[in-house]
Amino acid sequence: MKFQTVCPDILVRTGFAGFHANLTFPDGFLLGAATASYQIEGGWDAYGKGCNIWDTLTHEYWKLVEDTDTGDVADDSYHLYQEDVKWLKAMGAQWYRFSISWARILPEGHDWCINEPGIDYYNQLINALLDNGIEPMVTIYHWDLPQDLQDLGGWPNSVLANYAENYARVLFKNFGDRVKLWQTFNEPQIFMDGYDSEKGMAPSIDTPGIGDYLASHTVLVAHANIYPLYEREFKQQQQGKVGIALGHDWCEPFCTLHQDRCERYQKFILGGCAHPIFTDSGDYPSVPKERVDANSKREGLTGSRLPRFTGEEVKLSTGTFDFLGINFYTCFLGFDGVGGLVPSKGRDMGKIRSQDPKWPASASSWLRVVPWGYRKQLNWIAKEYGNPPVCVTENGYSDYGGLNDTQRVSYYTEHMKEMLKAIHEDGVNVFGYTAWSLLDNFEWLRGYTEKFGLHEVDFNDPSRPRIPKESAKVLTEIFKTRRIPDRFLD
Ligand code: GBH
């Protein structure tokens, strides 16, 4: 199926033919790598930085993290950012996706106290990237909320939407002359789980089916305010683009009988964040509204656990995007069934998920290698949301380390082939790709045990040397030749 051209300049580039054209990246397609502040920077208390919820989790609830590790030093990119830029350049990366640490810029979360050394740090990084011909792509928020805002209740407190907007303004003001690509949030559908279980992601608060919905609701309202803020105050002068990064595993029906279960799962999780922004009608899709309302009633509640947008908010948030960032890792099989606590998102969804043991495994329990699911996911998104401009903001594979990472090489080449089919054969509007991740880094609750990096980092060596793995070499070849090498053909 061919989709309508929404962004002609991007699709025109895909209109060439020729031998192996399918394995060639369109002209202008951006290739690069991604990271996130807490996972790589270290410098957790450097020069006026405030505490954030991952500092708190790793310091005070350290039993939750594998090997009781912290991001205190991580890859020490706070000091070694020039190394990161050097390796990006060596790879031929055209862009670099990184996130900004809110508490490094605004130690207390609010904008009446700006930490100048924090501003200096990102200025240096951005300037180094630009000096080397690498386009910066900034994620405004990748999970490291200032602790002071958590102390106000964190994302379930709707006042955080204002704080987020003011934080974004500080970033646009200080960096927008040079940063032209912004994403407001990384994966609200995942970080809302910080309010789902006391054993989970920061802030690790146990309010399933309640706090998690409130949190993602505030985040969506914040996004709906940040986009027009940029349009109003900055776009004319800065000419940048603003989007959001959503992550989602493709749900494959276990058999045709379960088709609607998978559709429901997609609409519940991905749609829960995408529908308010990427459809004309806006608002949550009917699936979560109906299901959470019905369960809330069954539980004897007067109102629904799913918060509602006001009419104004629905209008405000539709169309608040220049592009959609997609993080893609793996697939699940969807079964009919009910599981999970009462109440919880899992139970509201009415899903049972599993994975096919025949799909190749990785070091991460949740990540099996299913490249064809990637093409399906890209197609589903294009169909559901009118083929918006999409960039793949994360895609990657974990192992336990080692330079000869042949499985990661095959993960990348197979996924890129599927993405190229989605572009060339299906007409999906993908304009760029950043691999997760430039470096081995702090993999949240898994600490440093699961490695996602293209470059190996020895976390016992104080100088944190970066060494390219085989996968970095293959991606270098791909970035430079702009095609999948013949030896990876089927
Ligand atoms: C991405 O989320 C994140 O954006 C990125 O920061 C992260 O490094 C990358 O994935 C790899 O995980 O087993 O309790 O530690 C993708 C979704 C989020 C799914 C973390 C797995 C593991 C939770 N992933 N989650 S835990």
Side-chain angles (χ1 to χ4, degrees):
M1 157 177 217
K2 291 268 178 208
F3 294 104
Q4 240 190 323
T5 303
V6 170
C7 195
D9 58 316
I10 286 156
L11 280 193
V12 160
R13 299 172 199 146
T14 68
F16 59 87
F19 188 60
H20 291 332
N22 279 347
L23 297 169
T24 306
F25 288 95
D27 289 343
F29 190 94
L30 294 161
L31 291 160
T35 60
S37 48
Y38 188 77
Q39 295 180 273
I40 66 159
E41 282 178 3
W44 78 278
D45 62 349
Y47 307 110
K49 175 181 161 293
C51 253
N52 64 49
I53 55 175
W54 278 93
D55 294 320
T56 305
L57 182 133
T58 55
H59 294 164
E60 290 175 28
Y61 308 98
W62 40 269
K63 279 190 187 152
L64 293 178
V65 184
E66 195 97 2
D67 296 338
T68 67
D69 268 317
T70 74
D72 289 0
V73 181
D75 294 297
D76 202 17
S77 290
Y78 185 68
H79 298 105
L80 299 177
Y81 68 91
Q82 282 162 320
E83 282 290 297
D84 298 345
V85 175
K86 178 179 110 187
W87 287 111
L88 283 160
K89 183 165 194 196
M91 287 189 74
Q94 295 161 293
W95 63 344
Y96 176 47
R97 173 183 185 246
F98 62 96
S99 81
I100 290 185
S101 160
W102 189 335
R104 195 181 296 292
I105 299 287
L106 307 177
E108 296 164 34
H110 53 65
D111 65 347
W112 61 81
C113 168
I114 297 180
N115 179 37
E116 287 303 329
I119 302 276
D120 291 346
Y121 168 66
Y122 293 107
N123 272 333
Q124 285 162 17
L125 169 60
I126 291 162
N127 293 344
L129 289 166
L130 291 171
D131 287 347
N132 286 282
I134 302 163
E135 188 75 32
M137 145 90 115
V138 169
T139 314
I140 293 173
Y141 181 80
H142 197 128
W143 306 0
D144 40 3
L145 187 73
Q147 184 58 42
D148 284 4
L149 298 186
Q150 190 58 50
D151 294 344
L152 293 177
W155 289 112
N157 183 347
S158 57
V159 78
L160 259 75
N162 303 97
Y163 285 89
E165 189 184 338
N166 293 336
Y167 162 54
R169 182 185 289 103
V170 172
L171 302 191
F172 295 148
K173 251 192 207 156
N174 281 277
F175 309 123
D177 56 334
R178 287 151 295 149
V179 173
K180 304 299 168 193
L181 292 164
W182 299 92
Q183 292 146 82
T184 51
F185 293 94
N186 179 67
E187 296 184 351
Q189 315 106 299
I190 301 284
F191 75 78
M192 68 194 277
D193 287 348
Y195 299 88
D196 169 279
S197 155
E198 63 185 6
K199 296 187 184 63
M201 313 279 286
S204 206
I205 286 173
D206 195 12
T207 52
I210 300 169
D212 40 6
Y213 292 142
L214 289 169
S216 76
H217 192 76
T218 307
V219 168
L220 290 167
V221 172
H223 172 88
N225 282 298
I226 293 172
Y227 185 89
L229 159 76
Y230 187 79
E231 284 199 309
R232 237 180 14 249
E233 297 181 21
F234 302 96
K235 196 160 192 163
Q236 208 189 348
Q237 222 197 335
Q238 300 184 352
Q239 297 290 316
K241 292 188 186 303
V242 180
I244 187 167
L246 303 179
H248 189 53
D249 311 313
W250 171 250
C251 185
E252 180 70 9
F254 180 66
C255 68
T256 46
L257 274 178
H258 299 98
Q259 187 77 43
D260 61 325
R261 302 290 171 268
C262 289
E263 194 66 16
R264 186 165 83 204
Y265 172 74
Q266 293 275 120
K267 287 193 168 146
F268 203 110
I269 300 291
L270 182 55
C273 286
H275 199 275
I277 301 170
F278 294 91
T279 65
D280 292 339
S281 52
D283 202 355
Y284 291 117
S286 51
V287 172
K289 283 198 288 196
E290 284 163 11
R291 295 190 63 88
V292 182
D293 290 1
N295 277 353
S296 303
K297 203 166 172 198
R298 207 167 294 143
E299 290 147 19
L301 297 170
T302 311
S304 176
R305 286 182 278 102
L306 188 72
R308 287 303 200 273
F309 296 107
T310 63
E312 271 305 295
E313 286 168 342
V314 168
K315 274 198 230 130
L316 188 67
S317 75
T318 57
T320 50
F321 69 92
D322 297 316
F323 64 88
L324 166 59
I326 289 291
N327 298 348
F328 181 87
Y329 287 90
T330 193
C331 289
F332 282 87
L333 290 172
F335 294 82
D336 204 359
V338 179
L341 298 172
V342 179
S344 67
K345 189 174 64 169
R347 177 157 293 257
D348 291 336
M349 239 165 13
K351 58 96 216 225
I352 305 281
R353 298 189 328 172
S354 89
Q355 287 181 311
D356 187 334
K358 289 200 286 299
W359 295 341
S362 71
S364 307
S365 58
W366 53 275
L367 201 176
R368 284 182 183 268
V369 184
V370 201
W372 50 260
Y374 185 32
R375 182 180 180 182
K376 289 196 177 192
Q377 182 71 291
L378 290 170
N379 270 277
W380 192 87
I381 288 164
K383 185 163 129 279
E384 191 75 11
Y385 303 118
N387 207 10
V390 161
C391 61
V392 174
T393 34
E394 288 181 31
N395 177 230
Y397 175 83
S398 64
D399 59 19
Y400 296 107
L403 293 174
N404 191 19
D405 56 342
T406 48
Q407 280 157 315
R408 179 170 293 104
V409 168
S410 121
Y411 183 95
Y412 278 126
T413 53
E414 290 308 305
H415 280 77
M416 284 181 165
K417 276 154 65 178
E418 292 297 323
M419 177 174 71
L420 288 168
K421 285 184 206 161
I423 295 172
H424 295 306
E425 293 174 33
D426 310 332
V428 178
N429 195 357
V430 190
F431 68 91
Y433 176 96
T434 53
W436 185 271
S437 175
L438 178 66
L439 307 170
D440 286 344
N441 61 43
F442 181 80
E443 177 51 21
W444 309 114
L445 299 181
R446 303 277 79 80
Y448 298 100
T449 57
E450 298 174 8
K451 319 278 190 190
F452 277 89
L454 295 163
H455 296 84
E456 183 178 81
V457 177
D458 179 353
F459 294 98
N460 295 314
D461 183 332
S463 65
R464 299 292 195 276
R466 283 92 163 113
I467 304 172
K469 302 180 190 176
E470 184 57 29
S471 56
K473 294 178 186 162
V474 171
L475 286 204
T476 304
E477 185 182 345
I478 292 176
F479 289 5
K480 291 190 173 166
T481 60
R482 303 189 59 78
R483 68 191 298 281
I484 309 296
D486 286 344
R487 63 183 184 283
F488 297 110
L489 302 191
D490 296 325

